[in-house]
Coordinates of all heavy atoms in Angstrom, one line a residue:
M1 N -16.6 15.8 -7.9 CA -16.8 15.6 -6.4 C -15.6 16.2 -5.7 O -14.5 15.9 -6.1 CB -17.0 14.1 -6.1 CG -17.4 13.8 -4.7 SD -17.6 12.1 -4.3 CE -18.9 11.6 -5.4
T2 N -15.8 17.0 -4.7 CA -14.7 17.6 -3.9 C -14.0 16.5 -3.0 O -14.6 15.4 -2.8 CB -15.2 18.7 -3.0 OG1 -16.0 18.2 -2.0 CG2 -15.9 19.8 -3.8
T3 N -12.9 16.8 -2.5 CA -12.2 15.9 -1.7 C -13.0 15.6 -0.4 O -13.1 14.4 0.0 CB -10.8 16.5 -1.3 OG1 -10.1 16.8 -2.5 CG2 -10.0 15.5 -0.4
I4 N -13.6 16.6 0.2 CA -14.4 16.3 1.4 C -15.6 15.4 1.1 O -15.9 14.5 1.8 CB -14.9 17.6 2.0 CG1 -13.7 18.5 2.5 CG2 -15.9 17.4 3.1 CD1 -12.9 17.9 3.6
D5 N -16.2 15.7 -0.1 CA -17.3 14.8 -0.5 C -16.9 13.4 -0.7 O -17.6 12.4 -0.4 CB -18.0 15.4 -1.8 CG -18.8 16.6 -1.6 OD1 -19.2 16.9 -0.4 OD2 -18.9 17.4 -2.5
S6 N -15.7 13.2 -1.3 CA -15.2 11.9 -1.5 C -14.9 11.1 -0.2 O -15.2 10.0 -0.1 CB -13.8 12.0 -2.3 OG -14.0 12.5 -3.5
V7 N -14.4 11.8 0.8 CA -14.1 11.2 2.1 C -15.5 10.8 2.7 O -15.6 9.7 3.3 CB -13.3 12.2 3.0 CG1 -13.2 11.6 4.4 CG2 -11.9 12.4 2.4
L8 N -16.4 11.7 2.7 CA -17.7 11.4 3.3 C -18.4 10.3 2.6 O -19.0 9.4 3.2 CB -18.6 12.7 3.3 CG -18.2 13.8 4.2 CD1 -19.0 15.1 3.9 CD2 -18.2 13.4 5.6
D9 N -18.3 10.2 1.3 CA -18.9 9.1 0.5 C -18.2 7.8 0.9 O -18.9 6.8 1.1 CB -18.8 9.4 -1.0 CG -19.4 8.3 -1.8 OD1 -20.6 8.0 -1.6 OD2 -18.8 7.8 -2.7
A10 N -16.9 7.8 1.0 CA -16.2 6.6 1.4 C -16.6 6.2 2.8 O -16.8 5.0 3.1 CB -14.7 6.8 1.4
A11 N -16.8 7.1 3.8 CA -17.1 6.8 5.1 C -18.5 6.2 5.2 O -18.8 5.3 6.0 CB -17.1 8.1 6.0
R12 N -19.4 6.7 4.3 CA -20.8 6.1 4.3 C -20.9 4.7 3.9 O -21.8 4.0 4.2 CB -21.7 7.0 3.4 CG -22.0 8.3 4.0 CD -23.0 9.1 3.1 NE -23.0 10.5 3.4 CZ -22.4 11.5 2.8 NH1 -21.7 11.2 1.7 NH2 -22.5 12.7 3.2
R13 N -19.9 4.2 3.2 CA -19.8 2.8 2.7 C -19.2 1.9 3.7 O -18.8 0.8 3.3 CB -19.1 2.8 1.3 CG -19.9 3.5 0.2 CD -19.3 3.2 -1.1 NE -17.8 3.3 -1.2 CZ -17.2 4.4 -1.5 NH1 -17.8 5.5 -1.8 NH2 -15.9 4.4 -1.6
L14 N -18.9 2.3 4.9 CA -18.3 1.5 5.9 C -19.2 1.1 7.0 O -20.1 1.9 7.4 CB -17.1 2.3 6.6 CG -15.9 2.7 5.6 CD1 -14.9 3.5 6.4 CD2 -15.3 1.4 5.1
T15 N -19.0 -0.1 7.6 CA -19.7 -0.5 8.8 C -18.6 -0.8 9.8 O -17.4 -1.0 9.4 CB -20.6 -1.7 8.6 OG1 -19.8 -2.8 8.1 CG2 -21.7 -1.4 7.6
Y16 N -18.9 -0.9 11.1 CA -18.0 -1.2 12.1 C -18.1 -2.7 12.5 O -19.2 -3.2 12.7 CB -18.2 -0.3 13.3 CG -18.1 1.1 13.0 CD1 -19.2 1.9 12.8 CD2 -16.8 1.7 13.0 CE1 -19.1 3.3 12.5 CE2 -16.7 3.1 12.7 CZ -17.8 3.8 12.5 OH -17.7 5.2 12.2
G17 N -17.0 -3.3 12.6 CA -16.9 -4.7 13.1 C -16.9 -4.7 14.7 O -16.9 -3.6 15.3
A18 N -16.8 -5.9 15.2 CA -16.8 -6.0 16.7 C -15.4 -5.5 17.2 O -14.4 -5.8 16.7 CB -16.9 -7.5 17.1
A19 N -15.5 -4.7 18.3 CA -14.3 -4.2 18.9 C -13.5 -5.3 19.6 O -14.1 -6.1 20.2 CB -14.7 -3.0 19.9
V20 N -12.2 -5.2 19.5 CA -11.4 -6.2 20.2 C -10.4 -5.3 21.1 O -9.7 -4.4 20.6 CB -10.5 -7.0 19.2 CG1 -9.6 -7.9 20.0 CG2 -11.5 -7.8 18.3
T21 N -10.4 -5.6 22.4 CA -9.6 -4.9 23.4 C -8.5 -5.8 24.0 O -8.8 -6.9 24.4 CB -10.4 -4.3 24.5 OG1 -11.4 -3.4 23.9 CG2 -9.6 -3.5 25.5
K22 N -7.3 -5.3 24.0 CA -6.2 -6.0 24.7 C -5.4 -5.0 25.5 O -4.9 -4.0 24.9 CB -5.3 -6.7 23.6 CG -4.1 -7.4 24.1 CD -4.5 -8.7 24.8 CE -3.3 -9.5 25.1 NZ -3.5 -10.8 25.7
K23 N -5.4 -5.2 26.8 CA -4.8 -4.2 27.7 C -5.3 -2.8 27.4 O -6.5 -2.6 27.6 CB -3.3 -4.3 27.6 CG -2.8 -5.6 28.1 CD -1.3 -5.7 28.3 CE -0.9 -7.0 28.8 NZ 0.5 -7.1 29.1
N24 N -4.4 -1.9 27.0 CA -4.9 -0.5 26.8 C -5.1 -0.1 25.4 O -5.1 1.1 25.0 CB -3.9 0.4 27.5 CG -2.5 0.4 26.8 OD1 -2.2 -0.5 26.0 ND2 -1.7 1.4 27.0
I25 N -5.4 -1.1 24.5 CA -5.7 -0.7 23.1 C -7.0 -1.4 22.7 O -7.3 -2.6 23.0 CB -4.6 -1.0 22.2 CG1 -4.8 -0.5 20.8 CG2 -4.3 -2.5 22.1 CD1 -3.6 -0.5 19.9
T26 N -7.8 -0.7 21.9 CA -9.0 -1.3 21.3 C -9.0 -1.1 19.8 O -8.7 0.0 19.4 CB -10.3 -0.6 21.9 OG1 -10.4 -0.8 23.3 CG2 -11.6 -1.2 21.2
I27 N -9.2 -2.1 19.1 CA -9.2 -2.1 17.6 C -10.6 -2.3 17.1 O -11.3 -3.3 17.5 CB -8.2 -3.1 17.0 CG1 -6.8 -2.7 17.5 CG2 -8.3 -3.1 15.5 CD1 -5.8 -3.7 17.1
I28 N -11.1 -1.4 16.3 CA -12.4 -1.6 15.7 C -12.3 -1.7 14.2 O -11.9 -0.8 13.5 CB -13.4 -0.4 16.0 CG1 -13.5 -0.2 17.5 CG2 -14.7 -0.6 15.4 CD1 -14.1 1.0 18.0
P29 N -12.6 -2.9 13.6 CA -12.4 -3.0 12.2 C -13.4 -2.2 11.4 O -14.6 -2.1 11.8 CB -12.6 -4.5 11.9 CG -13.1 -5.1 13.2 CD -13.0 -4.1 14.3
L30 N -13.0 -1.6 10.3 CA -13.9 -0.9 9.4 C -14.1 -1.8 8.2 O -13.1 -2.3 7.6 CB -13.2 0.4 8.9 CG -12.9 1.4 10.0 CD1 -12.2 2.6 9.4 CD2 -14.1 1.8 10.8
I31 N -15.3 -2.1 7.8 CA -15.7 -3.1 6.8 C -16.4 -2.3 5.7 O -17.4 -1.7 5.9 CB -16.5 -4.2 7.4 CG1 -15.8 -4.8 8.5 CG2 -16.9 -5.2 6.3 CD1 -16.7 -5.7 9.4
A32 N -15.9 -2.5 4.4 CA -16.6 -1.9 3.3 C -17.9 -2.6 3.0 O -18.0 -3.8 3.1 CB -15.7 -2.0 2.1
T33 N -18.9 -1.8 2.7 CA -20.2 -2.4 2.5 C -20.5 -2.7 1.0 O -21.5 -3.3 0.7 CB -21.4 -1.5 3.0 OG1 -21.2 -0.2 2.4 CG2 -21.2 -1.3 4.5
D34 N -19.6 -2.3 0.2 CA -19.8 -2.5 -1.3 C -18.7 -3.5 -1.8 O -17.7 -3.7 -1.1 CB -19.8 -1.3 -2.1 CG -18.6 -0.4 -1.9 OD1 -17.6 -0.9 -1.3 OD2 -18.5 0.7 -2.4
D35 N -18.9 -4.0 -2.9 CA -18.0 -5.0 -3.5 C -17.1 -4.4 -4.6 O -16.7 -5.0 -5.6 CB -18.7 -6.2 -4.1 CG -19.3 -7.0 -3.0 OD1 -18.8 -7.1 -1.9 OD2 -20.4 -7.7 -3.3
R36 N -16.8 -3.1 -4.5 CA -16.0 -2.5 -5.5 C -14.6 -3.1 -5.5 O -14.0 -3.3 -4.4 CB -15.9 -1.0 -5.2 CG -17.2 -0.3 -5.3 CD -17.2 1.2 -5.2 NE -16.2 1.7 -4.4 CZ -15.9 3.0 -4.4 NH1 -16.5 3.8 -5.1 NH2 -14.9 3.4 -3.6
D37 N -14.0 -3.2 -6.7 CA -12.6 -3.7 -6.8 C -11.7 -2.6 -6.4 O -12.0 -1.4 -6.7 CB -12.4 -4.2 -8.2 CG -13.1 -5.5 -8.5 OD1 -13.4 -6.3 -7.6 OD2 -13.4 -5.8 -9.7
A38 N -10.6 -3.0 -5.9 CA -9.5 -2.0 -5.6 C -9.0 -1.5 -6.9 O -8.8 -2.3 -7.9 CB -8.4 -2.6 -4.7
D39 N -8.6 -0.2 -7.0 CA -8.0 0.3 -8.2 C -6.5 0.4 -8.1 O -5.9 1.3 -8.5 CB -8.7 1.7 -8.6 CG -8.7 2.6 -7.5 OD1 -8.4 2.3 -6.3 OD2 -9.1 3.8 -7.7
Y40 N -6.0 -0.6 -7.4 CA -4.5 -0.7 -7.2 C -4.2 -2.2 -7.1 O -5.1 -3.0 -6.8 CB -4.0 0.1 -6.0 CG -4.6 -0.4 -4.7 CD1 -4.0 -1.5 -4.0 CD2 -5.7 0.2 -4.1 CE1 -4.6 -1.9 -2.8 CE2 -6.2 -0.2 -2.9 CZ -5.7 -1.2 -2.3 OH -6.2 -1.7 -1.1
L41 N -2.9 -2.6 -7.3 CA -2.5 -3.9 -7.0 C -1.7 -3.9 -5.7 O -1.0 -2.9 -5.4 CB -1.5 -4.4 -8.2 CG -2.1 -4.4 -9.6 CD1 -1.0 -4.7 -10.6 CD2 -3.2 -5.5 -9.6
T42 N -1.6 -5.0 -5.1 CA -0.8 -5.2 -3.9 C 0.7 -5.5 -4.4 O 0.8 -5.8 -5.6 CB -1.2 -6.4 -3.0 OG1 -1.1 -7.6 -3.8 CG2 -2.6 -6.2 -2.5
L43 N 1.6 -5.4 -3.6 CA 3.0 -5.6 -4.0 C 3.1 -7.1 -4.5 O 3.8 -7.3 -5.6 CB 4.0 -5.4 -2.8 CG 5.4 -5.8 -3.1 CD1 6.0 -4.9 -4.2 CD2 6.3 -5.6 -1.8
D44 N 2.6 -8.0 -3.8 CA 2.6 -9.4 -4.3 C 2.0 -9.6 -5.7 O 2.5 -10.3 -6.5 CB 2.0 -10.4 -3.3 CG 2.8 -10.5 -2.0 OD1 4.0 -10.2 -2.0 OD2 2.2 -11.0 -1.0
E45 N 0.9 -9.0 -5.9 CA 0.2 -9.1 -7.2 C 1.1 -8.5 -8.3 O 1.2 -9.0 -9.4 CB -1.2 -8.4 -7.2 CG -2.2 -9.1 -6.3 CD -3.4 -8.2 -6.1 OE1 -3.4 -7.0 -6.1 OE2 -4.5 -8.8 -5.9
A46 N 1.7 -7.3 -8.0 CA 2.5 -6.6 -9.0 C 3.8 -7.4 -9.3 O 4.2 -7.5 -10.4 CB 2.8 -5.2 -8.5
L47 N 4.4 -8.0 -8.3 CA 5.6 -8.8 -8.5 C 5.2 -10.0 -9.3 O 6.0 -10.4 -10.2 CB 6.2 -9.2 -7.1 CG 6.9 -8.1 -6.4 CD1 7.2 -8.6 -5.0 CD2 8.1 -7.7 -7.1
A48 N 4.0 -10.7 -9.0 CA 3.6 -11.9 -9.8 C 3.4 -11.6 -11.2 O 3.7 -12.4 -12.1 CB 2.4 -12.4 -9.1
N49 N 2.9 -10.4 -11.6 CA 2.6 -10.1 -13.0 C 3.8 -9.3 -13.6 O 3.7 -9.0 -14.8 CB 1.3 -9.5 -13.2 CG 1.2 -8.0 -12.8 OD1 2.2 -7.3 -12.7 ND2 0.0 -7.6 -12.5
G50 N 4.8 -9.1 -12.9 CA 6.1 -8.5 -13.4 C 6.0 -7.0 -13.8 O 6.8 -6.5 -14.5
C51 N 5.1 -6.3 -13.2 CA 4.9 -4.9 -13.6 C 5.7 -3.9 -12.6 O 5.7 -2.7 -12.8 CB 3.5 -4.5 -13.7 SG 2.6 -4.4 -12.2
I52 N 6.3 -4.5 -11.6 CA 7.1 -3.6 -10.7 C 8.5 -4.2 -10.5 O 8.7 -5.4 -10.4 CB 6.3 -3.5 -9.3 CG1 6.9 -2.3 -8.5 CG2 6.4 -4.7 -8.5 CD1 6.0 -1.8 -7.4
R53 N 9.4 -3.2 -10.4 CA 10.8 -3.6 -10.1 C 11.3 -2.8 -8.9 O 11.1 -1.6 -8.9 CB 11.7 -3.3 -11.4 CG 11.4 -4.2 -12.5 CD 12.5 -4.0 -13.6 NE 12.8 -2.6 -13.9 CZ 12.2 -1.9 -14.8 NH1 11.2 -2.3 -15.5 NH2 12.6 -0.6 -15.0
V54 N 11.9 -3.5 -8.0 CA 12.5 -2.8 -6.9 C 14.0 -3.1 -6.9 O 14.5 -4.2 -7.0 CB 11.9 -3.4 -5.5 CG1 12.6 -2.7 -4.3 CG2 10.4 -3.2 -5.5
S55 N 14.8 -2.0 -6.9 CA 16.3 -2.2 -7.0 C 17.0 -1.1 -6.2 O 16.4 -0.2 -5.6 CB 16.7 -2.1 -8.5 OG 16.4 -0.8 -9.0
E56 N 18.3 -1.3 -6.1 CA 19.1 -0.3 -5.4 C 19.1 1.0 -6.2 O 18.8 1.0 -7.4 CB 20.5 -0.7 -5.3 CG 20.7 -2.0 -4.4 CD 20.5 -1.7 -2.9 OE1 20.4 -0.6 -2.5 OE2 20.4 -2.7 -2.2
V57 N 19.3 2.2 -5.5 CA 19.3 3.5 -6.2 C 20.5 3.7 -7.0 O 20.6 4.5 -7.9 CB 19.1 4.6 -5.2 CG1 17.7 4.6 -4.6 CG2 20.2 4.6 -4.1
S58 N 21.6 2.9 -6.7 CA 22.8 3.0 -7.5 C 23.6 1.7 -7.3 O 23.2 0.8 -6.6 CB 23.7 4.2 -7.0 OG 24.2 3.9 -5.7
E59 N 24.7 1.6 -8.0 CA 25.5 0.4 -7.9 C 26.0 0.1 -6.5 O 26.1 -1.0 -6.0 CB 26.7 0.5 -8.8 CG 27.6 -0.8 -8.9 CD 28.7 -0.6 -9.9 OE1 28.5 -0.1 -11.0 OE2 29.8 -1.0 -9.5
H60 N 26.3 1.2 -5.7 CA 26.8 1.1 -4.4 C 25.6 0.9 -3.4 O 25.8 0.4 -2.3 CB 27.6 2.3 -4.0 CG 28.8 2.5 -4.9 ND1 29.8 1.6 -4.9 CD2 29.0 3.4 -5.9 CE1 30.7 2.0 -5.9 NE2 30.2 3.1 -6.5
G61 N 24.4 1.3 -3.7 CA 23.3 1.2 -2.9 C 23.3 2.3 -1.8 O 24.3 3.0 -1.6
A62 N 22.2 2.4 -1.1 CA 22.0 3.3 0.0 C 21.0 2.6 1.0 O 19.9 2.3 0.5 CB 21.5 4.7 -0.4
V63 N 21.4 2.3 2.2 CA 20.6 1.5 3.1 C 19.2 2.0 3.2 O 18.2 1.3 3.1 CB 21.2 1.4 4.5 CG1 20.3 0.7 5.5 CG2 22.5 0.6 4.4
P64 N 18.9 3.3 3.4 CA 17.5 3.7 3.6 C 16.7 4.0 2.3 O 15.6 4.4 2.4 CB 17.6 5.1 4.4 CG 18.9 5.6 3.9 CD 19.8 4.5 3.6
A65 N 17.3 3.7 1.1 CA 16.6 4.0 -0.1 C 16.6 2.9 -1.1 O 17.6 2.1 -1.2 CB 17.3 5.2 -0.7
L66 N 15.5 2.8 -1.8 CA 15.4 1.8 -2.9 C 14.7 2.5 -4.1 O 14.0 3.5 -3.9 CB 14.5 0.6 -2.5 CG 15.1 -0.4 -1.6 CD1 14.1 -1.4 -1.2 CD2 16.3 -1.1 -2.3
K67 N 14.9 2.0 -5.3 CA 14.3 2.5 -6.5 C 13.1 1.6 -6.8 O 13.3 0.4 -6.9 CB 15.3 2.6 -7.6 CG 14.7 3.1 -8.9 CD 15.8 3.2 -10.0 CE 15.2 3.7 -11.3 NZ 16.3 3.8 -12.3
V68 N 11.9 2.2 -7.0 CA 10.7 1.4 -7.4 C 10.2 1.9 -8.7 O 10.0 3.1 -8.9 CB 9.6 1.5 -6.3 CG1 8.4 0.8 -6.7 CG2 10.1 1.0 -5.0
V69 N 10.1 1.0 -9.7 CA 9.6 1.3 -11.0 C 8.3 0.5 -11.3 O 8.4 -0.7 -11.2 CB 10.6 1.1 -12.1 CG1 10.0 1.3 -13.5 CG2 11.9 1.9 -11.9
N70 N 7.2 1.2 -11.5 CA 5.9 0.5 -11.9 C 5.7 0.7 -13.4 O 5.3 1.8 -13.8 CB 4.8 1.1 -11.0 CG 3.5 0.5 -11.3 OD1 3.4 -0.4 -12.1 ND2 2.4 1.1 -10.7
T71 N 5.8 -0.4 -14.1 CA 5.7 -0.3 -15.6 C 4.2 -0.7 -16.0 O 3.9 -0.6 -17.2 CB 6.6 -1.3 -16.3 OG1 6.4 -2.6 -15.8 CG2 8.1 -0.8 -16.0
G72 N 3.4 -1.0 -15.0 CA 2.0 -1.4 -15.3 C 1.1 -0.2 -15.4 O 1.5 1.0 -15.2
D73 N -0.2 -0.5 -15.8 CA -1.2 0.5 -16.0 C -2.0 0.7 -14.8 O -3.0 1.5 -14.8 CB -2.1 0.1 -17.2 CG -1.4 0.1 -18.5 OD1 -0.5 0.9 -18.7 OD2 -1.8 -0.7 -19.4
T74 N -1.7 0.1 -13.7 CA -2.4 0.2 -12.4 C -1.4 0.6 -11.3 O -0.3 0.1 -11.3 CB -3.1 -1.2 -12.1 OG1 -3.9 -1.6 -13.2 CG2 -3.9 -1.1 -10.8
A75 N -1.9 1.4 -10.4 CA -1.1 1.8 -9.2 C -0.8 0.6 -8.4 O -1.5 -0.4 -8.4 CB -1.8 2.8 -8.4
V76 N 0.3 0.6 -7.6 CA 0.8 -0.5 -6.7 C 0.8 0.1 -5.3 O 1.5 1.1 -5.1 CB 2.1 -1.1 -7.2 CG1 2.6 -2.2 -6.2 CG2 2.0 -1.6 -8.6
F77 N 0.2 -0.7 -4.4 CA 0.2 -0.3 -3.0 C 1.3 -1.0 -2.2 O 1.3 -2.2 -2.2 CB -1.2 -0.5 -2.4 CG -1.3 -0.1 -1.0 CD1 -1.2 1.3 -0.6 CD2 -1.6 -1.0 0.0 CE1 -1.3 1.7 0.7 CE2 -1.8 -0.6 1.3 CZ -1.6 0.8 1.7
L78 N 2.2 -0.3 -1.6 CA 3.2 -0.8 -0.7 C 2.8 -0.5 0.7 O 2.7 0.7 1.1 CB 4.6 -0.2 -1.0 CG 5.1 -0.3 -2.5 CD1 6.5 0.3 -2.6 CD2 5.2 -1.8 -2.9
L79 N 2.5 -1.5 1.5 CA 2.0 -1.4 2.8 C 3.1 -1.2 3.8 O 4.1 -2.0 3.8 CB 1.1 -2.6 3.2 CG 0.5 -2.6 4.6 CD1 -0.5 -1.4 4.7 CD2 -0.3 -3.9 4.8
D80 N 3.0 -0.2 4.7 CA 3.9 -0.1 5.8 C 4.1 -1.4 6.5 O 3.2 -2.1 6.9 CB 3.3 1.0 6.8 CG 4.2 1.2 8.0 OD1 5.3 0.8 8.0 OD2 3.6 1.8 9.0
G81 N 5.4 -1.8 6.7 CA 5.7 -3.0 7.3 C 6.0 -4.2 6.4 O 6.5 -5.2 6.8
E82 N 5.7 -4.1 5.1 CA 6.0 -5.1 4.2 C 7.5 -5.2 4.0 O 8.2 -4.2 4.0 CB 5.4 -4.9 2.8 CG 3.9 -5.2 2.7 CD 3.4 -5.1 1.2 OE1 3.5 -4.0 0.7 OE2 3.0 -6.2 0.7
E83 N 8.0 -6.5 3.8 CA 9.4 -6.7 3.6 C 9.7 -6.8 2.2 O 9.0 -7.5 1.4 CB 9.8 -8.0 4.3 CG 11.3 -8.2 4.2 CD 11.8 -9.5 5.0 OE1 10.9 -10.3 5.3 OE2 13.0 -9.6 5.2
L84 N 10.7 -6.0 1.7 CA 11.2 -6.0 0.4 C 12.4 -6.9 0.3 O 13.4 -6.5 0.9 CB 11.5 -4.6 -0.1 CG 10.3 -3.6 -0.1 CD1 10.7 -2.2 -0.5 CD2 9.2 -4.1 -1.0
I85 N 12.3 -8.0 -0.3 CA 13.4 -9.0 -0.3 C 14.2 -8.9 -1.5 O 13.7 -8.8 -2.6 CB 12.8 -10.5 -0.1 CG1 12.0 -10.6 1.2 CG2 13.9 -11.5 -0.2 CD1 11.2 -11.8 1.3
G86 N 15.5 -8.9 -1.3 CA 16.4 -8.9 -2.5 C 17.3 -7.6 -2.4 O 17.6 -7.2 -1.3
A87 N 17.8 -7.2 -3.5 CA 18.7 -6.1 -3.6 C 20.0 -6.5 -2.8 O 20.2 -7.7 -2.7 CB 18.1 -4.8 -3.1
K88 N 20.7 -5.5 -2.2 CA 21.9 -5.9 -1.4 C 21.5 -6.4 0.0 O 22.3 -7.1 0.6 CB 22.8 -4.7 -1.3 CG 23.4 -4.4 -2.7 CD 24.5 -3.4 -2.6 CE 25.1 -3.1 -3.9 NZ 26.5 -2.9 -3.9
Q89 N 20.3 -6.0 0.4 CA 19.8 -6.5 1.7 C 18.3 -6.3 1.7 O 17.8 -5.5 1.0 CB 20.5 -5.8 2.9 CG 20.1 -4.3 3.0 CD 20.8 -3.6 4.2 OE1 22.0 -3.9 4.4 NE2 20.1 -2.8 4.9
N90 N 17.6 -7.1 2.5 CA 16.2 -6.9 2.7 C 15.9 -5.7 3.5 O 16.7 -5.2 4.3 CB 15.6 -8.1 3.4 CG 15.8 -9.4 2.6 OD1 16.2 -9.4 1.5 ND2 15.5 -10.5 3.2
R91 N 14.7 -5.1 3.1 CA 14.3 -3.9 3.8 C 12.8 -3.9 4.2 O 12.1 -4.7 3.5 CB 14.6 -2.6 3.0 CG 16.1 -2.4 2.8 CD 16.3 -1.2 2.0 NE 17.7 -0.8 1.7 CZ 18.4 -1.3 0.7 NH1 17.9 -2.2 -0.1 NH2 19.6 -0.8 0.4
V92 N 12.4 -3.1 5.1 CA 11.0 -3.1 5.5 C 10.5 -1.7 5.2 O 11.1 -0.7 5.5 CB 10.8 -3.4 7.0 CG1 9.4 -3.2 7.4 CG2 11.3 -4.8 7.3
V93 N 9.3 -1.7 4.5 CA 8.7 -0.4 4.1 C 8.3 0.3 5.4 O 7.6 -0.3 6.3 CB 7.5 -0.6 3.2 CG1 6.8 0.7 2.8 CG2 7.9 -1.3 1.9
N94 N 8.7 1.6 5.6 CA 8.3 2.3 6.9 C 7.2 3.3 6.7 O 7.0 4.1 7.6 CB 9.6 2.9 7.5 CG 10.2 4.0 6.7 OD1 9.7 4.3 5.6 ND2 11.2 4.6 7.2
L95 N 6.5 3.3 5.6 CA 5.3 4.1 5.4 C 4.5 3.5 4.2 O 5.1 2.8 3.4 CB 5.6 5.5 5.1 CG 6.2 5.9 3.8 CD1 5.8 7.4 3.5 CD2 7.7 5.8 3.8
S96 N 3.2 3.6 4.2 CA 2.5 3.1 3.1 C 2.6 4.0 1.9 O 2.6 5.3 2.0 CB 1.0 3.0 3.5 OG 0.8 2.0 4.5
I97 N 2.8 3.4 0.7 CA 3.1 4.2 -0.5 C 2.2 3.7 -1.6 O 2.0 2.5 -1.8 CB 4.5 4.0 -1.0 CG1 5.5 4.4 0.2 CG2 4.8 4.8 -2.2 CD1 6.9 4.0 -0.1
L98 N 1.6 4.6 -2.4 CA 0.8 4.2 -3.6 C 1.7 4.7 -4.8 O 1.8 5.8 -5.1 CB -0.5 4.9 -3.6 CG -1.5 4.4 -4.7 CD1 -1.8 2.9 -4.5 CD2 -2.8 5.2 -4.6
V99 N 2.3 3.7 -5.5 CA 3.2 4.0 -6.6 C 2.3 4.1 -7.8 O 1.6 3.2 -8.2 CB 4.2 2.8 -6.8 CG1 5.2 3.1 -8.0 CG2 5.0 2.5 -5.5
P100 N 2.4 5.3 -8.5 CA 1.5 5.6 -9.6 C 1.9 4.6 -10.8 O 3.0 4.1 -10.9 CB 1.9 7.0 -10.0 CG 2.7 7.6 -8.9 CD 3.2 6.4 -8.1
P101 N 0.9 4.4 -11.7 CA 1.2 3.6 -12.9 C 2.2 4.2 -13.8 O 2.3 5.5 -13.8 CB -0.1 3.4 -13.5 CG -1.0 4.5 -13.0 CD -0.4 4.9 -11.7
N102 N 2.9 3.4 -14.6 CA 3.8 3.9 -15.6 C 4.9 4.9 -15.1 O 5.1 5.9 -15.7 CB 3.0 4.5 -16.8 CG 2.1 3.5 -17.4 OD1 2.5 2.4 -17.8 ND2 0.8 3.8 -17.4
R103 N 5.5 4.6 -14.0 CA 6.5 5.4 -13.4 C 7.6 4.6 -12.9 O 7.5 3.6 -12.2 CB 6.0 6.2 -12.2 CG 5.0 7.3 -12.7 CD 5.1 8.4 -11.9 NE 4.2 9.4 -12.4 CZ 4.1 10.6 -11.9 NH1 4.8 10.9 -10.9 NH2 3.3 11.5 -12.4

């Protein structure tokens, strides 16, 4: 299946929820119509089963950077805005990242 076909197939499996408007923004939830399991773990799930490690990039650290190691067989999804607690200081993920398995 091509990339465009994959996107179209995924779009066909969505329905729209009720729109919510506040001032000048409207949010319309997209709801999956199938019960397929996600083929990734959330950060909390990965931390709970011990397959992901988040650490400083070096002994001295670097404020905008962390090292992430996924030792599991499933990708791990880090959502933009999640707080990574620990290391030398807590940090907030500033983009969504899908960490591949065994990396």
Side-chain angles (χ1 to χ4, degrees):
M1 189 180 297
T2 66
T3 303
I4 297 297
D5 290 337
S6 298
V7 171
L8 292 173
D9 184 50
R12 287 184 195 102
R13 293 189 314 268
L14 298 174
T15 60
Y16 300 99
V20 177
T21 301
K22 179 75 174 183
K23 294 189 179 186
N24 63 344
I25 188 168
T26 299
I27 298 175
I28 302 170
L30 300 176
I31 303 163
T33 58
D34 56 8
D35 290 333
R36 296 186 330 168
D37 289 333
D39 50 354
Y40 60 85
L41 298 173
T42 65
L43 176 60
D44 288 342
E45 291 169 334
L47 288 170
N49 72 24
C51 69
I52 195 163
R53 290 189 317 270
V54 180
S55 61
E56 297 290 350
V57 293
S58 69
E59 183 178 317
H60 302 290
V63 173
L66 287 172
K67 180 179 180 179
V68 177
V69 177
N70 179 3
T71 59
D73 295 329
T74 306
V76 176
F77 183 62
L78 305 179
L79 179 63
D80 178 14
E82 281 190 296
E83 185 176 16
L84 301 174
I85 298 171
K88 292 189 179 218
Q89 68 182 43
N90 296 350
R91 296 181 178 86
V92 175
V93 178
N94 65 359
L95 72 155
S96 294
I97 304 166
L98 191 60
V99 182
N102 301 306
R103 290 212 177 184

